Amino acid sequence: MLEKEIERRLVQMVKQRGGLCYKFVSPANPGVPDRIIITPTGHVIFVELKTEIGRLAKIQQWQVSEMRKRGADVRVVKGWPAVKALIEEVMPDNYQVYCIQRIVNDPAVGLFLRPGLGKTSITLSAINILRYFKWSIHKALVVAPKKVAEGTWSKEASKWDHLKHLRVVTVLGTQTQRIKALNTPADVYVINRDNIPWLVDYYKQAWPFDMVVLDESTSFKNGRSKRFKAMKLVRRFCKKVVLLTGTPSSQGLENLWAQVYLLDEGQRLGKTLTQYRQMYFEPDKRNATQIWSYKPKQHAEEAVLNAISDICLTMKAEDYLELPDCIDHEIPVMLDDKTLKAYNQFERDLLLEVDEGVITAAAAGVLTNKLLQFCSGVIYDDTRQVIHIHDCKLDAYMELLEQISGEPCITFYGFQHDRDRILAALSKTPLRVRVYKDTKDEDDWNAGSIDVLLVHPSSCAYGLNLQAGGRHIIWFTPNWSFELNDQGRCRLWRQGFPYDKIYNHFLVVQGCVDEDVMAAIKERANTHETVMNVLKARIKKAKEAAV
């Protein structure tokens, strides 16, 4: 392909993605690059184009060298394939450009983007434009889960040339450390969600952040929580608010009210949760004096989504990216006759003490956790002492590791005794094992220095980029939450994954509560409601069997 045709295609691709591509002509300065690209995020790149066999003249080599010495981003691109690779590297996709523009132009927006679509880089690019091009914000605050706050945002900024100059400070640690961080000059301050009440109380009426980003905004879905109430107090001081999450209503439509309130202060879904319920819900379970739960009215979901469609964007990664196949693999775990008999007796004894007509969500959670522990092979007694019962699931886990031939895997565990037993079993193997604690473990996993990474889904399912380290996920303990399962899978199933397939393995004890958990995950059901319904069915069955 001729150099002229390569240049024409470069210009076309840059314009298609919302960028500018100027011809660079500098009188009395021969040998300067052919083109100047300005990306939608403000990144400036000088491009010298050649055919695949073309060479730089000596004057061109000198010009490129002099420009690079002064910090310019100069690329020498040979051939059409190299042009396409450059565009993929430096130019955001069209959907990313659109999201950036929405953050820049709208005072409040919810980006409900599935994991893998680049929520962090999109938001940082918008912050960069607002801070250094439009001068419309002074300080941005990012509120995130603790593990995400520790390193995800600062790493993302350092990964992209057009964001490396952003000063990102984490506001974590002791109160003294947090105050020191807040007094450090920066563009973006990242704090964990549990410290939001403290931060609001610390600044009171002198709130300094004119932009607030709520990363994994489902953390603010409870309108009665301290963190929501704290954010509500300072909402009026924020010129711009951004919500980021991939699962805004994983447990039902009621989750949306508090999140959307922090965007529009009640304009679309009502000023209070009561107003929201009156508009879109009707009583479900109740007695003569009290309503226990609500269910959506007919067509409520469509009405709610229409009401917030102008302020919230929903996108799925599979609609915009070429993602690898994700294969769910259930491994049936069979208990021996003696252990299965013991499980059935344990379940009956546990459930016969409960009246299914008055069971609460808290009680349901405790009871199902005991059954899940039994399936794993160990339970806690009333004094939190560990009682060993069987190794059926642990044996199946070790066999699965053999089947994947030592390939790296992430293992999600449910209880501390699961973690401890897995560690003890793996200590007898040559595998390199690590329990996830901080960003160093994330880096080591992605660098290929870890064979088995043990992770608890509640602390690490959100925000971590683990796609470079392996293609296997093993759920030692199934988790009721569709959101945690979905987010956990998306630590690998995301943009930049180097394999063609992801394997999502579940160890499922047959004939026991593990099967109920898997059914709930597949149905994407409301977690608390499903746990209670499953438990009620099992109580009823146990009582019928006892008659």
Side-chain angles (χ1 to χ4, degrees):
M1 187 181 294
L2 296 176
E3 185 176 314
K4 182 179 180 181
E5 177 63 16
I6 295 173
E7 186 170 358
R8 185 187 69 79
R9 293 193 181 189
L10 169 71
V11 174
Q12 184 180 30
M13 283 193 73
V14 170
K15 289 182 177 179
Q16 284 176 348
R17 296 206 178 190
L20 300 173
C21 192
Y22 294 127
K23 184 72 176 176
F24 185 19
V25 179
S26 180
N29 285 294
V32 295
D34 297 309
R35 290 279 172 175
I36 302 174
I37 295 175
I38 303 176
T39 72
T41 57
H43 186 194
V44 178
I45 305 152
F46 297 88
V47 180
E48 175 62 42
L49 291 164
K50 294 290 180 185
T51 63
E52 293 182 1
I53 59 173
R55 293 184 178 182
L56 291 178
K58 288 186 177 180
I59 186 63
Q60 290 176 320
Q61 294 176 11
W62 183 83
Q63 289 283 16
V64 169
S65 174
E66 290 299 303
M67 293 174 72
R68 284 175 174 170
K69 284 178 185 178
R70 290 155 178 80
D73 187 354
V74 185
R75 309 293 182 96
V76 179
V77 183
K78 295 186 176 184
W80 170 236
V83 167
K84 291 193 291 185
L86 173 68
I87 296 300
E88 291 299 324
E89 176 191 350
V90 303
M91 297 288 292
D93 290 309
N94 289 335
Y95 78 88
Q96 292 176 318
V97 173
Y98 177 67
C99 292
I100 292 168
Q101 290 172 345
R102 288 293 300 268
I103 294 176
V104 170
N105 297 327
D106 297 356
V109 64
L111 298 186
F112 298 158
L113 309 185
R114 297 283 286 112
L117 285 173
K119 294 188 291 290
T120 306
S121 61
I122 286 170
T123 308
L124 284 171
S125 296
I127 290 173
N128 180 49
I129 293 170
L130 291 165
R131 177 79 175 90
Y132 287 104
F133 291 84
K134 290 184 173 290
W135 300 347
S136 57
I137 66 167
H138 179 59
K139 287 184 178 181
L141 175 71
V142 175
V143 185
K146 187 173 184 293
K147 297 297 183 183
V148 177
E150 286 175 347
T152 298
W153 284 83
S154 55
K155 280 185 179 179
E156 194 70 21
S158 65
K159 192 164 72 175
W160 303 100
D161 288 338
H162 71 290
L163 300 175
K164 285 181 178 178
H165 63 280
L166 286 179
R167 300 166 296 174
V168 181
V169 169
T170 54
V171 185
L172 300 170
T174 64
Q175 179 170 309
T176 301
Q177 291 171 325
R178 296 196 299 269
I179 292 173
K180 181 179 179 181
L182 290 170
N183 287 294
T184 302
D187 304 306
V188 182
Y189 296 83
V190 187
I191 192 169
N192 64 308
R193 56 199 178 189
D194 294 327
N195 275 325
I196 275 296
W198 169 84
L199 185 68
V200 171
D201 183 65
Y202 177 74
Y203 281 114
K204 294 184 171 63
Q205 297 294 315
W207 184 255
F209 305 104
D210 37 19
M211 178 175 181
V212 173
V213 178
L214 302 181
D215 192 2
E216 298 306 338
S217 61
T218 49
S219 303
F220 292 83
K221 65 190 176 188
N222 184 354
R224 295 182 293 274
S225 66
K226 291 181 180 179
R227 62 181 69 146
F228 171 81
K229 292 177 180 178
M231 278 306 308
K232 184 179 177 182
L233 286 174
V234 296
R235 174 61 183 87
R236 65 186 187 278
F237 300 126
C238 306
K239 292 195 297 185
K240 195 171 288 289
V241 175
V242 179
L243 304 186
L244 303 177
T245 185
T247 49
S249 57
S250 62
Q251 296 179 5
L253 283 178
E254 280 198 68
N255 288 357
L256 283 174
W257 176 80
Q259 296 176 73
V260 175
Y261 180 93
L262 293 177
L263 287 178
D264 67 0
E265 298 181 89
Q267 293 178 28
R268 289 164 180 80
L269 300 183
K271 294 286 186 181
T272 64
L273 180 58
T274 300
Q275 288 182 9
Y276 179 53
R277 284 172 172 167
Q278 288 173 347
M279 289 189 289
Y280 300 107
F281 295 83
E282 58 189 21
D284 184 15
K285 296 179 182 178
R286 63 183 302 173
N287 58 23
T289 59
Q290 189 172 0
I291 300 173
W292 300 104
S293 63
Y294 292 84
K295 62 181 180 181
K297 295 178 181 178
Q298 189 175 9
H299 307 305
E301 182 173 1
E302 181 182 354
V304 169
L305 295 180
N306 284 337
I308 64 174
S309 61
D310 65 318
I311 202 171
C312 298
L313 306 177
T314 301
M315 296 181 181
K316 295 181 179 179
E318 50 268 39
D319 293 337
Y320 295 90
L321 304 174
E322 291 186 11
L323 294 178
D325 294 332
C326 185
I327 300 172
D328 287 339
H329 177 211
E330 290 187 29
I331 299 98
V333 178
M334 306 302 297
L335 300 182
D336 59 74
D337 292 342
K338 181 180 178 181
T339 305
L340 182 58
K341 184 177 179 180
Y343 173 87
N344 291 332
Q345 185 63 49
F346 177 76
E347 184 180 73
R348 282 195 297 271
D349 293 345
L350 200 64
L351 300 182
L352 287 175
E353 300 174 2
V354 181
D355 181 353
E356 73 271 23
V358 296
I359 188 170
T360 64
V366 171
L367 293 175
T368 53
N369 273 345
K370 285 185 177 292
L371 296 176
L372 286 171
Q373 289 175 43
F374 197 110
C375 290
S376 294
V378 170
I379 62 172
Y380 292 118
D381 64 14
D382 294 336
T383 62
R384 294 287 293 177
Q385 295 298 308
V386 173
I387 301 174
H388 177 264
I389 301 170
H390 66 84
D391 289 324
C392 299
K393 183 175 280 193
L394 185 61
D395 291 343
Y397 174 75
M398 298 301 291
E399 289 175 2
L400 178 59
L401 291 183
E402 288 183 21
Q403 291 172 16
I404 65 176
S405 304
E407 286 192 47
C409 75
I410 295 172
T411 299
F412 285 113
Y413 63 89
F415 306 98
Q416 290 184 11
H417 55 62
D418 292 342
R419 178 200 64 197
D420 295 341
R421 291 169 64 226
I422 293 171
L423 285 172
L426 293 177
S427 66
K428 303 171 186 176
T429 72
L431 296 173
R432 299 165 297 175
V433 184
R434 190 87 58 86
V435 178
Y436 182 89
K437 294 179 181 177
D438 52 34
T439 54
K440 184 180 185 305
D441 299 319
E442 180 181 352
D443 294 338
D444 289 346
W445 163 262
N446 284 323
S449 303
I450 299 173
D451 297 317
V452 179
L453 182 64
L454 298 176
V455 179
H456 193 281
S458 295
S459 61
C460 297
Y462 298 103
L464 300 183
N465 297 315
L466 302 174
Q467 66 268 32
R471 59 177 179 170
H472 291 277
I473 296 172
I474 300 175
W475 293 84
F476 188 85
T477 312
N479 191 289
W480 287 102
S481 171
F482 168 76
E483 180 179 2
L484 289 181
N485 277 278
D486 190 46
Q487 291 279 357
R489 175 185 62 166
C490 289
R491 295 315 98 216
L492 298 186
W493 196 46
R494 60 197 301 118
Q495 193 173 19
F497 185 72
Y499 304 95
D500 61 342
K501 290 182 177 66
I502 291 168
Y503 297 93
N504 202 26
H505 308 278
F506 297 89
L507 296 171
V508 183
V509 176
Q510 301 299 288
C512 301
V513 74
D514 277 6
E515 292 186 326
D516 295 325
V517 177
M518 292 307 300
I521 295 169
K522 291 174 184 176
E523 294 173 4
R524 303 188 178 196
N526 177 293
T527 302
H528 301 300
E529 189 72 21
T530 303
V531 171
M532 292 177 66
N533 288 339
V534 166
L535 204 57
K536 287 176 181 179
R538 286 189 171 271
I539 293 169
K540 185 177 181 181
K541 182 179 178 181
K543 288 185 175 180
E544 289 174 351
V547 175

